[in-house]
Amino acid sequence: MNKISIIVPCYNEEESLSQFYLETKKAVASISEATHEFLFIDDGSRDHTLDILKLICCKDPNCRYFSFSRNFGKEAAMYAGLKHANGDFCVIMDADLQHPPKLLADMYHAVSKEGYDCCAGKRIGREGDGAVRSFLSRSFYSVIQKLTHMNMSDGAGDFRMMNRTMTDAILQMQEYNRYTKGIFSFVGFETKWLEFENVERAAGNTKWNLKSLFAYAFDGILSFSTAPLKLPGILGVLLFLVACCLGISSLAGSLVSHQAADNLTLILTVVIFLSSLQMMMVFILGEYLSKDYLENKKRPIYIIRESYQGKLP
């Protein structure tokens, strides 16, 4: 009989965790052809999330938890869950019930009967998000698809069920700076998409603010695209031509009008403008170097402080 591993990253989810467990347990228990296990990854929560996980695991032998020594981020939590899962199929779900458990049966049918390697949920609509966040998200996915030439469309998130072959392929991607949406696309495999309506969180507040979303988007671009490295060369040529035109124009103007002071002001403005562009280019190069610096350190993606693994089959 097949086994389904449900991986749930948790960060301050005390308000929704019990409800998520009950609804997801009911949904996965209805799949009579497979057994299941829950792997809860406590990503350094500061509320009572870990206490709730301990209680759930004591009552349900099919539940395990791993608690990080600090907050390493959702990417590290998903990797940890996949690494410790021993199921034939692995599911990644958020604990806020924005990923509907009712889709699990359809996902299982797709990967076990229809020949797909993966069945993923694709969110339609953004009723649970604000207008600004929705606009920025759509814009980001439009940009990153053009830069990376990989399928990372808006609405295609982490909620998916994968077979063991795809799971093992993802685990081979051991980089420290992880962008799992890009990794899903990079490894390939046949994926079936199931659309679902976006809803608000069952409880609590989102852990993603505009600052963290911008940082996440920037990491995604740097992890899967070298296009920004080409910007300094392109802008360098354009600015050289602009500088030549400005220099010739300023020289001609000063010879005609004898207004040296205005020309100096213009030149000073141009120098400051070019300096600011140089700083931005250095920043982009510095970000790439920082990523390489962290990769070369070979630091662990996560550190487990404590865990409960129950009785493994």
Side-chain angles (χ1 to χ4, degrees), residues 226-254:
T226 58
L229 285 174
K230 300 176 183 179
L231 288 177
I234 296 173
L235 289 176
V237 173
L238 293 176
L239 291 175
F240 176 77
L241 296 175
V242 171
C244 289
C245 293
L246 287 175
I248 294 173
S249 176
S250 298
L251 179 61
S254 62

Side-chain angles (χ1 to χ4, degrees), residues 104-237:
L104 290 176
D106 293 335
M107 287 182 169
Y108 179 75
H109 186 270
V111 295
S112 64
K113 303 294 185 183
E114 299 179 17
Y116 289 97
D117 301 293
C118 173
C119 185
K122 186 171 185 178
R123 180 176 55 180
I124 55 175
R126 288 189 169 272
E127 287 73 13
D129 299 334
V132 175
R133 179 174 173 176
S134 298
F135 171 76
L136 292 176
S137 180
R138 286 192 295 267
S139 300
F140 162 70
Y141 283 108
S142 176
V143 170
I144 198 170
Q145 282 201 100
K146 294 177 181 178
L147 292 179
T148 63
H149 305 290
M150 290 193 295
N151 182 22
M152 287 183 278
S153 59
D154 185 22
D158 306 315
F159 180 34
R160 60 190 64 214
M161 183 181 293
M162 303 168 285
N163 62 18
R164 175 48 58 179
T165 303
M166 182 171 177
T167 300
D168 290 341
I170 292 172
L171 290 175
Q172 293 180 40
M173 311 280 287
Q174 299 182 19
E175 60 258 38
Y176 179 83
N177 298 283
R178 302 184 67 81
Y179 182 69
T180 305
K181 291 184 179 67
I183 292 176
F184 288 146
S185 179
F186 178 84
V187 298
F189 294 97
E190 292 293 326
T191 300
K192 179 178 181 179
W193 296 95
L194 297 179
E195 294 184 343
F196 66 94
E197 292 287 343
N198 187 51
V199 296
E200 295 185 4
R201 292 173 54 92
N205 299 315
T206 179
K207 311 307 183 297
W208 294 91
N209 52 35
L210 287 179
K211 180 181 178 181
S212 60
L213 286 173
F214 272 115
Y216 186 62
F218 199 64
D219 282 343
I221 293 174
L222 293 183
S223 297
F224 285 91
S225 175
T226 58
L229 285 174
K230 300 176 183 179
L231 288 177
I234 296 173
L235 289 176
V237 173

